[in-house]
């Protein structure tokens, strides 16, 4: 039976999750793909259908009932899961654009809930389906490790996400479940366009990265596929940069 992946985080054809879904489908994986809302569905459904997804279901990660329905459908249709892809992040605009020192408790909590705790919730729900082991993969950014101008509140949020990856990897390793993050350099997606002066961040990345370019969706997909396959078998708790080398430049 083909390997099966749940992919959460496709908004459109620029999404990092779309690059990952495409790579997995190209390697023969079966897919379950979610869309965040009714408004997102017309953008996501055609992409999911293009890849022949077995399941296309709503999931706003704040909605516990939707998550329960999704995992009930996965259990019924597949009965097992080999990969969970979580490529979701959000911070309220005012909190994202202000100084971290000024961010509101609500904005901080919302950003942490949607960007970090949602990963914990999805991994917890996936665990019983991964009886034969599997990969849980999320998406981080260099702002977790150092100050990246205008990344603001998402710096601490991604730091928490990376620490969460390590904790979950430690807790689930004995069951053969590996937990990792990829960390792409800046890429032109819808979520990224919410960051102030993002075009300048892209230009800066192109000019300073050792490879003098941005990473591509295909490269994110190929790395995820590698991590999900035998090559990634001994990799857990890791944050893998896909950034044309940008992270080594101070
Ligand atoms: P994107 O806008 O294509 O994807 C973000 C996704 O998050 C969307 O599909 C959106 O529907 C989803 N989302 C937000 N709130 C949600 C909620 N409440 N419930 C369910 N889904 C929700 O942008 P992207 O850049 O592909 O983002 C994917 C991940 O990659 C994010 O974690 C982002 O922080 C990370 N990342 C992006 C970059 C970049 O430069 N684009 C770099 C490194 C990491």
């Amino acid at each position: 039976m083909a390997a099966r992946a749940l992919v959460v985080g496709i908004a459109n054809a620029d999404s990092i999750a779309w690059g990952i879904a495409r790579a997995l489908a190209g390697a023969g994986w079966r897919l379950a793909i979610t869309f965040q809302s009714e408004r997102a569905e017309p953008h996501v459904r055609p992409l999911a259908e293009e890849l022949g997804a077995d399941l296309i279901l709503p999931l706003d990660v704040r909605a516990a009932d939707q998550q329960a329905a999704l995992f009930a459908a996965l259990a019924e249709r597949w009965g097992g899961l080999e990969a969970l892809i979580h490529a979701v992040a959000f911070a309220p605009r005012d909190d994202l654009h202000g100084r971290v020192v000024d961010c509101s408790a609500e904005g901080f909590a919302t950003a942490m809930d949607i960007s970090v705790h949602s990963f914990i919730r999805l991994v917890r729900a996936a665990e019983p389906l991964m009886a034969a082991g599997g990969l849980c993969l999320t998406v981080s950014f260099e702002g977790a490790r150092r100050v990246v101008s205008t990344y603001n509140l998402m710096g601490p949020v991604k730091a928490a996400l990376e620490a969460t990856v390590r904790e979950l990897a430690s807790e689930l390793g004995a069951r053969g479940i590996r937990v990792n993050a990829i960390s792409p350099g800046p890429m032109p997606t819808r979520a990224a366009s919410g960051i102030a002066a993002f075009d300048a961040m892209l230009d800066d990345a192109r000019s300073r990265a050792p490879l003098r370019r941005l990473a591509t969706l295909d490269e994110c997909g190929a790395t995820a596929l590698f991590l999900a396959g035998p090559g990634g078998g001994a990799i857990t708790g890791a944050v893998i940069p896909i950034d044309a080398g940008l992270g080594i430049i101070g």
Side-chain angles (χ1 to χ4, degrees):
M1 145 111 24
R4 301 151 296 189
L6 168 61
V7 180
V8 180
I10 299 177
N12 54 42
D14 296 326
S15 295
I16 292 169
W18 169 241
I20 295 172
R22 224 168 36 191
L24 292 170
W29 284 62
R30 306 303 311 165
L31 299 179
I33 287 175
T34 65
F35 52 89
Q36 184 187 343
S37 61
E38 272 177 28
R39 216 168 47 147
E41 184 176 1
H43 303 282
V44 180
R45 185 172 284 281
L47 296 173
E49 286 173 352
E50 187 182 321
L51 300 182
D54 287 346
L55 288 162
I56 307 170
L57 287 170
L59 180 65
D60 183 315
V61 295
R62 291 164 299 185
D65 56 335
Q66 288 185 356
Q67 181 177 307
L70 169 66
F71 278 88
L74 286 172
E76 190 187 322
R77 177 74 186 256
W78 286 347
L81 190 67
E82 282 72 39
L84 161 68
I85 310 297
H86 169 275
V88 171
F90 176 79
R93 198 169 189 282
D94 287 350
D95 294 291
L96 180 60
H97 286 190
R99 303 185 308 170
V100 175
V101 74
D102 296 323
C103 81
S104 68
E106 299 92 306
F108 186 83
T110 298
M112 289 289 281
D113 180 58
I114 293 178
S115 314
V116 183
H117 196 262
S118 69
F119 184 52
I120 296 175
R121 293 195 288 273
L122 286 169
V123 172
R124 182 163 62 229
E127 182 184 1
L129 293 176
M130 291 186 168
L135 169 72
C136 300
L137 185 69
T138 187
V139 188
S140 189
F141 182 64
E142 177 66 10
R145 293 198 305 143
R146 62 181 182 85
V147 174
V148 174
S149 174
T150 71
Y151 203 57
N152 303 343
L153 172 59
M154 287 309 289
V157 169
K158 291 301 191 189
L161 182 65
E162 293 189 4
T164 299
V165 163
R166 290 187 286 274
E167 295 294 335
L168 299 184
S170 165
E171 291 172 1
L172 298 175
R175 303 198 54 174
I177 299 175
R178 297 175 297 108
V179 186
N180 292 298
I182 55 171
S183 182
M187 298 178 66
T189 65
R190 200 185 62 189
S193 66
I195 293 165
F198 189 71
D199 286 346
M201 201 191 278
L202 290 175
D203 288 343
D204 175 69
R206 283 190 197 93
S207 66
R208 285 194 309 117
L211 296 178
R212 297 289 186 270
R213 66 174 180 83
L214 305 176
T216 66
L217 290 182
D218 282 345
E219 288 164 339
C220 292
T223 305
L225 180 61
F226 165 78
L227 288 169
I235 300 176
T236 195
V239 180
I240 313 278
I242 311 174
D243 63 354
L246 186 63
I248 65 165
I249 305 296

Coordinates of all heavy atoms in Angstrom, one line a residue, residues 8-12 14-17 36 59-62 87-90 114 139-141 151 154 158 183-192 198, ligand 1:
V8 N -1.3 19.9 5.8 CA -2.1 21.1 6.3 C -1.3 22.3 6.0 O -0.1 22.4 6.4 CB -2.3 20.9 7.8 CG1 -3.1 22.1 8.4 CG2 -3.0 19.6 8.1
G9 N -1.9 23.3 5.3 CA -1.2 24.5 5.0 C -1.1 25.0 3.6 O -0.4 26.0 3.3
I10 N -1.9 24.3 2.7 CA -2.0 24.9 1.3 C -3.0 26.0 1.3 O -4.1 25.8 1.6 CB -2.3 23.8 0.3 CG1 -1.3 22.6 0.3 CG2 -2.4 24.3 -1.1 CD1 -1.6 21.5 -0.6
A11 N -2.5 27.2 0.8 CA -3.4 28.3 0.6 C -3.6 28.5 -0.9 O -4.7 28.8 -1.4 CB -2.9 29.6 1.2
N12 N -2.5 28.3 -1.7 CA -2.5 28.5 -3.1 C -1.2 27.8 -3.7 O -0.5 27.2 -3.0 CB -2.6 30.0 -3.5 CG -1.4 30.8 -2.7 OD1 -0.3 30.3 -2.7 ND2 -1.8 31.9 -2.2
D14 N 1.5 29.0 -4.4 CA 2.8 29.6 -3.9 C 3.1 29.0 -2.6 O 4.2 29.2 -2.0 CB 2.7 31.1 -3.7 CG 2.5 31.8 -5.0 OD1 3.0 31.4 -6.1 OD2 1.8 32.8 -5.0
S15 N 2.2 28.2 -2.0 CA 2.4 27.7 -0.6 C 3.5 26.7 -0.5 O 3.6 25.8 -1.4 CB 1.1 27.1 -0.1 OG 0.1 28.0 0.0
I16 N 4.3 26.8 0.6 CA 5.4 25.8 0.8 C 4.7 24.4 0.9 O 5.3 23.4 0.4 CB 6.2 26.2 2.1 CG1 7.0 27.4 1.8 CG2 7.1 25.0 2.5 CD1 7.6 28.1 3.0
A17 N 3.5 24.3 1.5 CA 2.9 23.0 1.6 C 2.5 22.4 0.3 O 2.4 21.2 0.1 CB 1.6 23.2 2.5
Q36 N -8.3 26.0 4.9 CA -8.6 26.6 6.1 C -10.0 27.1 6.3 O -10.6 27.1 7.4 CB -7.7 27.9 6.3 CG -7.8 28.6 7.6 CD -7.1 29.9 7.7 OE1 -6.2 30.1 6.9 NE2 -7.4 30.7 8.7
L59 N -10.1 22.4 7.6 CA -9.4 22.4 8.9 C -9.0 23.8 9.2 O -7.9 24.3 8.7 CB -8.3 21.5 9.0 CG -7.6 21.5 10.4 CD1 -8.5 21.0 11.5 CD2 -6.3 20.7 10.4
D60 N -9.7 24.5 10.1 CA -9.2 25.7 10.8 C -8.6 25.1 12.0 O -9.3 24.5 12.8 CB -10.3 26.7 11.1 CG -9.7 28.0 11.7 OD1 -8.9 27.8 12.6 OD2 -10.1 29.1 11.3
V61 N -7.3 25.3 12.3 CA -6.6 24.6 13.4 C -7.2 25.0 14.7 O -6.9 24.4 15.8 CB -5.1 24.7 13.3 CG1 -4.5 24.0 12.1 CG2 -4.7 26.1 13.4
R62 N -8.0 26.1 14.8 CA -8.6 26.5 16.0 C -9.9 25.7 16.3 O -10.4 25.8 17.4 CB -8.9 28.0 16.0 CG -7.7 28.9 16.0 CD -8.0 30.3 15.6 NE -8.5 30.4 14.3 CZ -8.8 31.5 13.6 NH1 -8.6 32.6 14.1 NH2 -9.3 31.4 12.3
A87 N 2.3 23.2 7.8 CA 2.9 24.4 7.3 C 2.0 25.6 7.5 O 1.4 26.1 6.6 CB 3.2 24.2 5.8
V88 N 1.8 25.9 8.8 CA 0.7 26.8 9.2 C 1.4 27.9 10.1 O 2.1 27.5 11.1 CB -0.4 26.1 9.9 CG1 -1.3 27.1 10.6 CG2 -1.1 25.1 9.0
A89 N 1.1 29.1 9.9 CA 1.5 30.2 10.9 C 0.6 31.3 10.7 O 0.0 31.6 9.7 CB 3.0 30.6 10.6
F90 N 0.4 32.1 11.9 CA -0.4 33.3 11.8 C 0.0 34.1 13.0 O 0.3 33.6 14.1 CB -1.9 32.9 11.9 CG -2.7 34.1 12.0 CD1 -3.0 34.9 10.9 CD2 -3.2 34.6 13.2 CE1 -3.8 36.0 11.0 CE2 -4.0 35.7 13.3 CZ -4.3 36.5 12.2
I114 N -1.9 29.2 17.0 CA -2.1 28.7 15.6 C -0.8 28.2 15.0 O -0.8 27.3 14.2 CB -2.6 29.9 14.7 CG1 -4.1 30.2 15.2 CG2 -2.6 29.6 13.2 CD1 -4.7 31.4 14.5
V139 N 7.3 23.7 9.6 CA 8.1 24.7 8.9 C 8.5 25.9 9.7 O 7.6 26.6 10.3 CB 7.4 25.2 7.6 CG1 8.3 26.0 6.7 CG2 6.8 24.0 6.8
S140 N 9.8 26.0 9.9 CA 10.3 27.1 10.8 C 11.0 28.2 9.9 O 10.9 28.2 8.7 CB 11.3 26.6 11.8 OG 11.6 27.6 12.8
F141 N 11.7 29.1 10.6 CA 12.4 30.2 9.9 C 13.6 30.6 10.7 O 13.5 30.5 12.0 CB 11.5 31.4 9.6 CG 12.1 32.5 8.8 CD1 12.6 32.3 7.5 CD2 12.3 33.7 9.4 CE1 13.2 33.3 6.8 CE2 12.9 34.8 8.7 CZ 13.3 34.6 7.4
Y151 N 10.8 40.5 11.4 CA 10.2 39.3 11.7 C 9.5 39.3 13.1 O 8.5 38.6 13.3 CB 11.2 38.1 11.6 CG 10.6 36.8 11.4 CD1 9.8 36.5 10.2 CD2 10.7 35.7 12.3 CE1 9.2 35.3 10.0 CE2 10.2 34.5 12.0 CZ 9.4 34.3 10.9 OH 8.8 33.0 10.7
M154 N 7.2 36.8 15.3 CA 7.3 35.4 14.8 C 8.7 34.8 15.2 O 8.8 33.6 15.1 CB 7.1 35.4 13.3 CG 5.7 35.6 12.9 SD 4.5 34.5 13.7 CE 4.9 32.9 13.0
K158 N 8.6 31.1 16.4 CA 9.4 30.0 15.7 C 10.4 29.3 16.6 O 10.7 28.1 16.5 CB 10.1 30.5 14.4 CG 9.1 30.9 13.3 CD 8.2 29.7 12.8 CE 7.5 30.1 11.5 NZ 6.5 29.1 11.2
S183 N 13.5 24.6 7.5 CA 13.6 26.1 7.7 C 14.0 26.8 6.4 O 15.2 27.0 6.1 CB 14.6 26.4 8.8 OG 14.6 27.8 9.1
P184 N 13.0 27.0 5.5 CA 13.3 27.7 4.3 C 13.8 29.2 4.5 O 13.3 29.8 5.5 CB 12.0 27.7 3.5 CG 11.1 26.7 4.2 CD 11.6 26.7 5.7
G185 N 14.6 29.7 3.6 CA 14.8 31.1 3.6 C 13.6 31.8 3.1 O 12.6 31.2 2.8
P186 N 13.6 33.1 3.1 CA 12.4 33.9 2.7 C 11.9 33.5 1.3 O 12.7 33.3 0.4 CB 12.8 35.3 2.7 CG 14.3 35.4 3.0 CD 14.7 34.0 3.4
M187 N 10.6 33.2 1.2 CA 10.0 32.8 -0.1 C 8.7 33.6 -0.3 O 8.0 33.9 0.6 CB 9.7 31.3 -0.1 CG 11.0 30.5 0.1 SD 10.6 28.7 0.1 CE 10.0 28.5 -1.5
P188 N 8.4 34.0 -1.6 CA 7.3 34.8 -1.8 C 6.0 34.1 -1.7 O 5.5 33.6 -2.7 CB 7.5 35.4 -3.2 CG 8.4 34.3 -3.9 CD 9.2 33.7 -2.8
T189 N 5.4 34.0 -0.5 CA 4.1 33.4 -0.3 C 3.1 34.4 0.3 O 3.5 35.5 0.7 CB 4.2 32.2 0.7 OG1 4.6 32.7 2.0 CG2 5.3 31.2 0.2
R190 N 1.9 33.9 0.4 CA 0.9 34.9 1.0 C 1.2 35.2 2.4 O 1.1 36.4 2.9 CB -0.5 34.3 0.9 CG -1.6 35.4 1.0 CD -2.9 34.9 1.0 NE -3.1 34.0 2.1 CZ -4.2 33.2 2.3 NH1 -5.1 33.2 1.4 NH2 -4.3 32.5 3.4
A191 N 1.5 34.2 3.2 CA 1.8 34.5 4.7 C 3.0 35.4 4.8 O 3.0 36.4 5.6 CB 2.2 33.2 5.4
A192 N 4.0 35.3 3.9 CA 5.2 36.1 4.0 C 4.9 37.6 3.7 O 5.5 38.5 4.2 CB 6.3 35.6 3.1
F198 N 8.7 42.9 3.3 CA 9.1 41.6 2.9 C 9.9 41.5 1.6 O 10.8 40.7 1.4 CB 7.9 40.6 2.8 CG 8.4 39.2 2.7 CD1 9.0 38.5 3.7 CD2 8.2 38.5 1.5 CE1 9.4 37.2 3.6 CE2 8.7 37.2 1.3 CZ 9.3 36.6 2.4
Ligands
LIG1 P1 1.0 30.4 3.0 O1 0.2 31.6 3.2 O2 1.0 29.8 1.6 O3 0.7 29.3 4.0 C1 0.3 29.6 5.4 C2 -0.9 28.6 5.7 O4 -1.3 28.8 7.0 C3 -2.1 28.9 4.8 O5 -2.4 27.8 4.1 C4 -3.2 29.3 5.8 O6 -4.4 28.8 5.4 C5 -2.6 28.5 7.0 N1 -3.3 29.0 8.2 C6 -3.2 30.2 8.9 N2 -4.0 30.2 9.9 C7 -4.7 29.0 9.9 C8 -5.6 28.4 10.8 N3 -6.2 29.1 11.8 N4 -6.1 27.1 10.5 C9 -5.6 26.5 9.4 N5 -4.6 27.0 8.6 C10 -4.2 28.2 8.9 O7 2.5 30.8 3.3 P2 3.8 29.8 3.5 O8 5.0 30.8 3.5 O9 3.8 28.7 2.7 O10 3.7 29.4 5.1 C11 3.8 28.0 5.5 C12 4.8 27.9 6.6 O11 6.1 28.3 6.2 C13 4.5 28.9 7.8 O12 4.7 28.2 9.0 C14 5.5 30.0 7.6 O13 5.9 30.6 8.8 C15 6.7 29.1 7.1 N6 7.8 29.8 6.5 C16 7.6 30.6 5.5 C17 8.7 31.2 4.9 C18 8.5 32.2 3.7 O14 9.4 33.1 3.5 N7 7.4 32.1 3.0 C19 10.0 31.0 5.3 C20 10.2 30.1 6.4 C21 9.1 29.5 6.9

